[in-house]
Amino acid sequence: MVDLLATSPDTWRDRTGDPPVIPRELVPPTTGSFTDRVRALRRRHALRERRALENYAQSRKPERGWPVADNAAVLAFFRTLFRERRKMFAALVVLNGLAAATGLVVPRLLGELINKTVAGDAASSLNSLAVLIVVVVCAQALLTFLAQRTSTVFGQDLLSSAREYIVRTILSLPLGRVEGASSGDLVTRVTRDVGTMSRSVQYGVPMSIISGLTVVLSIVAMLLNSVVLALPSLVVIALAYPQVKRYLQRAPKGYINEGATYSRINSTLTETVEGARTVEALGLAERRVAAGDDDIDVSAQAERYTMTLRNLLFAVIDVAFNSPRVVTLLVGAYGYAEGWVSLGQITAAVLYVEALSGPLDRLVGEVDRLQVGVASTSRLLGIAEVPPDRVAGTELPDGPELVGEDLRFAYREGHDVLHGVDLRLEIGERLAIVGPSGSGKSTLGRLLSGINGPRTGSVTVGGVELVDLPLETLRTEVALVTQEHHVFKGSVRDNIILAREDSSDDAVWDALSAVGATEWVARFPGGLDTQLGSGNQQLTPAQAQQVALARLIIADPHTLVLDEATSLIDPRTARTLEGSMNALLTSRTVVAIAHRLHTAHDADRIAVVIDGRIVELGSHHELVGKPNGEYAALWRAWTS
């Protein structure tokens, strides 16, 4: 007899013959001359660039997974945010401009002070100039404080709106697309990319504006002080432009590729953790660890590419931004000897160059932060480009009757899961859907609750297609509760009244009583105010499922689809829970999808689904009386 457990790992695709994820050309040589190693480094950089561009191009319209928005969408997004804050943005620019301009007056005054000292002017004149310098410095300090305060408020407000937009976008995603795409990619986007975008919006945007204003005003001040001293320094600084342009052209695509590799790491990690029991049972630990190592290697190559871009940029700007100090002194010495400039002008020019280098460094650093932020924002806005799976109409149901006709559905093109299912629910009846695993029970439940639309056929309620109803209307007509559940961070009350926030505490307790949860909720010190979720009171899987059911009762739809809704509760508790819910569900239509056949025993009708078709439909007594029937065989297996 074949040991299925021992041979199960053999059914996994053998990857030993696959090419390495990292080509040999990307492995640094351990021998060779310095020239050979430099050439090899250039070849590796070119190959990493090609891989980044290929991955970027693929991300525009992926066959599976989430797309990435283009630069036009990112600019439109930020343009909208800025347009909504015109006054605050104007105040930010004006205050920072005044602060920078005031600060640039000081070097000019110091130069004038030196000139007057050299000329031997009276002490009273020098004292007046010194007092003026103190006043200007104090004014600069006040303006800088006001400018920083405005920048902080602007950044926080911008961040708040950006995050709210992303959350709204994510919550509006078609559920079928969310379940079909990589969860690791979506998790990476809503965690790492949101954090990166947040830092970029909160700090990068205001600081870039401040640094840019300071740089422009510093250049103007340098030219006003002395064109002879300013031009050579500005020419040296301008030599960094080609490298800066090259960086700006390549960095966004490199960072988007880098973000994609993080998604790849998270996808593999998520799959391994969620399937930990399977991995352990089949002895697949080494394969999963190897897959994780491969993902890290790929990510490391992506990071090396962007790191090389930064290193090349910083190497050039370090020379270009520091050389003007020396150039200014050399030109100043020659100009002073020729009588072209005074000592005061040289002093002011040196101070301006020194003042310019800092903002320039910060500007380049903030531009790099913005490039990373733009890449993350592109990935986040790509979520908004996912087309909706339905267009809401204006027609409303004229009754609660739920009817499915000729239902066919495929998760993959050409592979139908349901094959022409017809089902008409009687108002107020309890229908149980049973059948072996993989027969299409849950898929049928998703179509009956409007989660997915059928490939062919229709599901209507009151004569209106479910997928044509606005979501807020749909959920008051039909609601689905699956074996999966979620406890949100908040109080017990908050978790239950999500569907109807105006519900009273009495209604919440009634819902908890209906699902048999009043006893353990009452034991909490805070009762309904007890905080749940991460870092707070933890619930068992059974308790979390009871909260989900209570949430459904508060929503109060006329038709309920329960897909293994009590699977995480022990049979005795589940039986008690279902019994206590019966009185509440009497006036509602209930579709119960379950493997526990005692649920079917209590139903008005039972639909037996085999291979995507309803092969039997009737009451428990009718179906169990068919000795060769599918339901009778299931019942004998269940009760034996």
Side-chain angles (χ1 to χ4, degrees), residues 444-464:
L444 179 57
R446 293 172 65 86
L447 267 58
L448 293 176
S449 57
I451 300 296
N452 296 104
R455 186 178 67 79
T456 68
S458 65
V459 180
T460 61
V461 59
V464 180

Side-chain angles (χ1 to χ4, degrees), residues 139-163:
Q140 181 197 9
L142 177 61
L143 288 170
T144 300
F145 170 76
L146 294 175
Q148 290 288 351
R149 183 180 182 279
T150 304
S151 299
T152 301
V153 174
F154 176 78
Q156 292 287 353
D157 188 45
L158 206 65
L159 170 62
S160 174
S161 294
R163 281 195 158 182

Side-chain angles (χ1 to χ4, degrees), residues 407-411 416-419 433 438-454 459 480 561 563 593 609 612:
L407 300 180
R408 301 175 191 272
F409 183 81
Y411 293 101
D416 279 351
V417 178
L418 297 178
H419 307 278
I433 300 178
S439 60
K441 302 187 304 297
S442 295
T443 301
L444 179 57
R446 293 172 65 86
L447 267 58
L448 293 176
S449 57
I451 300 296
N452 296 104
V459 180
L480 171 70
V561 180
D563 186 1
I593 303 167
V609 178

Side-chain angles (χ1 to χ4, degrees), residues 87-103 139-151 209-210 213-214 217:
K87 294 182 179 179
M88 189 178 296
F89 179 68
L92 168 69
V93 173
V94 170
L95 287 172
N96 280 286
L98 290 173
T102 306
Q140 181 197 9
L142 177 61
L143 288 170
T144 300
F145 170 76
L146 294 175
Q148 290 288 351
R149 183 180 182 279
T150 304
S151 299
I209 295 171
I210 295 169
L213 282 171
T214 305
L217 293 175

Side-chain angles (χ1 to χ4, degrees), residues 432-437 439 441 594-598 600 606-611 613 615-616 620 623-624 626-640:
I433 300 178
V434 301
S437 297
S439 60
K441 302 187 304 297
H595 286 143
R596 292 171 176 168
L597 292 193
H598 62 70
I606 301 167
V608 182
V609 178
I610 304 292
D611 295 331
R613 294 179 174 84
V615 296
E616 292 181 342
H620 169 78
L623 298 182
V624 81
K626 298 179 179 180
N628 298 323
E630 295 286 350
Y631 179 77
L634 290 173
W635 182 258
R636 287 193 298 270
W638 174 259
T639 55
S640 61

Side-chain angles (χ1 to χ4, degrees), residues 175-195:
L175 185 57
R177 182 65 184 271
V178 172
E179 294 178 343
S182 168
S183 59
D185 188 11
L186 185 59
V187 168
T188 301
R189 296 194 187 205
V190 300
T191 53
R192 176 191 175 274
D193 286 324
V194 166

Side-chain angles (χ1 to χ4, degrees), residues 222-237:
M222 290 173 66
L223 293 171
L224 292 175
N225 175 63
S226 172
V227 175
V228 173
L229 295 174
L231 282 180
S233 299
L234 294 178
V235 169
V236 173
I237 292 173

Side-chain angles (χ1 to χ4, degrees), residues 298-624:
V298 171
S299 182
Q301 294 298 325
E303 290 192 359
R304 282 190 174 95
Y305 172 62
T306 55
M307 180 180 64
T308 302
L309 291 178
R310 290 193 299 272
N311 288 342
L312 292 173
L313 174 67
F314 294 150
V316 171
I317 65 175
D318 279 348
V319 175
F321 292 176
N322 290 319
S323 298
R325 296 184 178 93
V326 179
V327 172
T328 300
L329 289 175
L330 292 176
V331 174
Y334 181 78
Y336 181 73
E338 295 294 327
W340 297 343
V341 294
S342 65
L343 286 177
Q345 287 177 307
I346 296 173
T347 302
V350 171
L351 291 174
Y352 282 138
V353 168
E354 190 66 33
L356 180 62
S357 63
L360 272 175
D361 279 337
R362 286 195 298 273
L363 181 59
V364 172
E366 294 305 330
V367 166
D368 182 62
R369 189 204 296 266
L370 287 177
Q371 293 297 312
V372 179
V374 166
S376 290
T377 306
S378 297
R379 285 166 50 79
L380 287 169
L381 294 181
I383 298 174
E385 295 185 354
V386 175
D389 63 345
R390 65 193 69 199
V391 178
T394 57
E395 190 177 359
L396 297 178
D398 60 3
E401 186 179 22
L402 190 65
V403 179
E405 295 180 342
D406 190 30
L407 300 180
R408 301 175 191 272
F409 183 81
Y411 293 101
R412 291 185 300 155
E413 187 175 353
H415 297 78
D416 279 351
V417 178
L418 297 178
H419 307 278
V421 173
D422 294 311
L423 186 63
R424 179 180 295 271
L425 295 175
E426 301 294 335
I427 298 174
E429 82 164 325
R430 180 160 186 152
L431 173 74
I433 300 178
V434 301
S437 297
S439 60
K441 302 187 304 297
S442 295
T443 301
L444 179 57
R446 293 172 65 86
L447 267 58
L448 293 176
S449 57
I451 300 296
N452 296 104
R455 186 178 67 79
T456 68
S458 65
V459 180
T460 61
V461 59
V464 180
E465 289 268 7
L466 283 185
V467 293
D468 290 341
L469 292 174
L471 287 178
E472 58 272 16
T473 303
L474 173 61
R475 293 302 159 235
T476 62
E477 300 288 335
V478 186
L480 171 70
V481 173
T482 69
Q483 55 192 324
E484 300 173 357
H485 53 266
H486 184 74
V487 176
F488 295 91
K489 191 167 185 177
S491 67
V492 175
R493 180 187 298 102
D494 294 336
N495 268 273
I496 293 175
I497 66 173
L498 282 174
R500 296 183 185 273
E501 295 186 350
D502 58 350
S503 301
S504 65
D505 283 2
D506 289 340
V508 174
W509 282 114
D510 288 342
L512 290 171
S513 176
V515 298
T518 52
E519 183 179 348
W520 57 263
V521 173
R523 287 201 301 265
F524 287 153
L528 295 179
D529 294 320
T530 302
Q531 295 297 307
L532 307 177
S534 177
N536 297 311
Q537 177 69 46
Q538 297 297 310
L539 300 183
T540 66
Q543 290 173 337
Q545 205 159 38
Q546 287 174 299
V547 168
L549 291 172
R551 189 184 297 150
L552 174 66
I553 292 170
I554 288 291
D556 196 28
H558 63 67
T559 300
L560 306 177
V561 180
L562 309 179
D563 186 1
E564 300 286 357
T566 58
S567 63
L568 295 180
I569 305 175
D570 65 86
R572 179 177 297 178
T573 304
R575 184 73 169 171
T576 303
L577 184 151
E578 290 167 357
S580 63
M581 289 181 67
N582 279 337
L584 186 83
L585 302 179
T586 299
S587 60
R588 294 176 172 84
T589 304
V590 179
V591 178
I593 303 167
H595 286 143
R596 292 171 176 168
L597 292 193
H598 62 70
T599 303
H601 181 276
D602 298 334
D604 299 315
R605 286 194 299 166
I606 301 167
V608 182
V609 178
I610 304 292
D611 295 331
R613 294 179 174 84
I614 295 181
V615 296
E616 292 181 342
L617 183 63
S619 69
H620 169 78
H621 295 292
E622 290 172 349
L623 298 182
V624 81

